[in-house]
């Protein structure tokens, strides 16, 4: 058995993976771009102006974010973007207060979760009639929009192109019913874009597909997996062995 990953490192990985997600969010459309400085990365996606998920900023150093906050606001305004957000770790209350004072509102509190893949739970039962296949960006984007009730101006607008995300899919016959996205971050597998079509929820498809993906990653030498979980998604990940390491707040400015 390899060396265990300490809790502090698992939490660090859960937060650090956000940077790579932001990079993907700002790379999936020809008109998208990234703003980058020392410890700061922000995605700019004019094709999805109402969705702050695709217009978001990740920072390592609060002072760098503060120095660029006006510039970020001006850029999003100039691009016609109506909602953008800043990812704030739960321990950084000063930045949360600053953003609140600048008109941002707390929009969501995803859980930062991570898993030493040595602790991956046993494989869930295989759903009847479901088979795994390689995924693609366009199909996975459509599944995410359907799963979360978004229109075409969301995932299909922002992430239908090629990014660092590798997509995995589950099919029933010729129908795509579930997808999981992964980004390789060192020896961590950052999980993103997990979605199941509404008519197939409750069948255990997402748990089964994600377990397959993580088992394959472990076999290839990946040491951990990390993700940001919604309230509804967290129990699924806990059953696979993921642990909760606090939350990441999304402080949104919407006009």
């Amino acid at each position: 058995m390899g060396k265990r990953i300490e809790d502090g490192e698992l939490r660090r990985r859960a937060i650090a993976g956000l940077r790579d997600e932001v990079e993907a969010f700002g790379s999936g459309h020809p008109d998208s771009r990234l703003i980058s400085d020392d410890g700061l990365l922000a995605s700019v996606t004019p094709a999805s102006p109402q969705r702050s998920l695709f217009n978001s900023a990740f920072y390592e150093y609060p002072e760098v974010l503060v120095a660029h906050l006006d510039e970020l606001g001006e850029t999003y305004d100039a691009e016609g973007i109506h909602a953008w957000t800043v990812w704030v770790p739960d321990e950084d209350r000063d930045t949360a207060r600053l953003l609140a004072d600048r008109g941002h509102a707390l929009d969501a509190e995803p859980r930062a979760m991570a898993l030493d893949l040595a602790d991956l739970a046993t494989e869930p039962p295989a759903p009847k009639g479901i088979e795994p296949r390689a995924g693609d960006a366009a199909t996975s984007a459509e599944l995410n929009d359907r799963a979360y009730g978004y229109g075409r101006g969301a995932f299909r607008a922002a992430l239908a192109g090629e990014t660092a995300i590798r997509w995995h899919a589950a099919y029933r016959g010729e129908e795509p019913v579930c997808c999981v996205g992964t980004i390789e971050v060192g020896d961590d597998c950052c999980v993103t874009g997990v979605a199941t079509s509404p008519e197939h929820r409750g069948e255990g498809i997402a748990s089964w597909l994600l377990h397959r993906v993580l088992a394959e990653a472990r076999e290839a030498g990946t040491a951990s997996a990390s993700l940001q979980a919604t309230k509804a998604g967290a129990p699924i990940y806990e059953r696979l062995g993921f642990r909760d390491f606090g939350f990441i707040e999304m402080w949104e400015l919407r006009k």
Side-chain angles (χ1 to χ4, degrees):
M1 181 180 294
K3 184 179 179 181
R4 304 291 300 176
I5 303 175
E6 296 181 354
D7 287 359
E9 174 61 11
L10 285 173
R11 173 180 163 82
R12 187 199 68 78
R13 293 181 181 210
I15 295 173
L18 271 170
R19 185 192 186 283
D20 295 86
E21 289 189 87
V22 169
E23 183 171 1
F25 296 158
S27 306
H29 188 279
D31 294 335
S32 297
R33 62 189 178 93
L34 296 165
I35 298 173
S36 180
D37 200 350
D38 183 28
L40 173 72
L41 187 69
S43 56
V44 182
T45 308
S48 188
Q50 298 288 349
R51 297 296 174 185
S52 60
L53 179 64
F54 307 115
N55 297 285
S56 61
F58 168 86
Y59 65 92
E60 294 181 38
Y61 314 110
E63 60 272 18
V64 176
L65 172 70
V66 172
H68 287 276
L69 206 51
D70 289 337
E71 175 191 346
L72 288 173
E74 291 167 3
T75 297
Y76 288 124
D77 285 345
E79 295 286 357
I81 291 165
H82 304 298
W84 60 281
T85 198
V86 180
W87 297 91
V88 180
D90 55 9
E91 77 273 9
D92 188 2
R93 297 301 82 205
D94 289 342
T95 297
R97 284 189 289 269
L98 170 66
L99 290 169
D101 290 343
R102 298 286 289 269
H104 290 247
L106 180 60
D107 180 54
E109 299 173 281
R111 307 307 300 185
M113 304 186 76
L115 165 67
D116 184 325
L117 286 177
D119 297 328
L120 180 63
T122 57
E123 182 177 2
K128 186 177 180 180
I130 300 295
E131 64 172 314
R133 297 186 191 176
D136 65 81
T139 302
S140 299
E142 183 174 1
L143 272 170
N144 271 273
D145 280 338
R146 290 184 60 214
Y148 297 106
Y150 297 155
R152 286 188 173 274
F155 281 84
R156 276 172 284 188
L159 287 181
E162 293 302 316
T163 68
I165 302 174
R166 178 187 175 193
W167 292 104
H168 316 260
Y171 277 71
R172 175 165 280 147
E174 294 305 311
E175 178 190 7
V177 297
C178 184
C179 65
V180 169
T182 57
I183 306 172
E184 294 182 11
V185 185
D187 65 348
D188 182 67
C189 176
C190 175
V191 177
T192 187
V194 179
T196 303
S197 58
E199 59 271 26
H200 292 286
R201 288 177 184 153
E203 299 179 28
I205 301 173
S207 297
W208 173 79
L209 178 60
L210 181 54
H211 187 281
R212 284 185 60 92
V213 169
L214 296 181
E216 290 175 0
R218 181 179 60 186
E219 189 69 21
T222 301
S224 65
S226 63
L227 51 82
Q228 308 302 317
T230 64
K231 184 177 181 180
I236 294 174
Y237 307 127
E238 288 172 350
R239 287 194 291 271
L240 292 176
F242 280 85
R243 296 167 57 200
D244 189 329
F245 290 97
F247 55 85
I248 305 290
E249 294 177 337
M250 299 175 71
W251 283 87
E252 182 184 76
L253 184 63
R254 181 171 289 275
K255 297 184 177 180

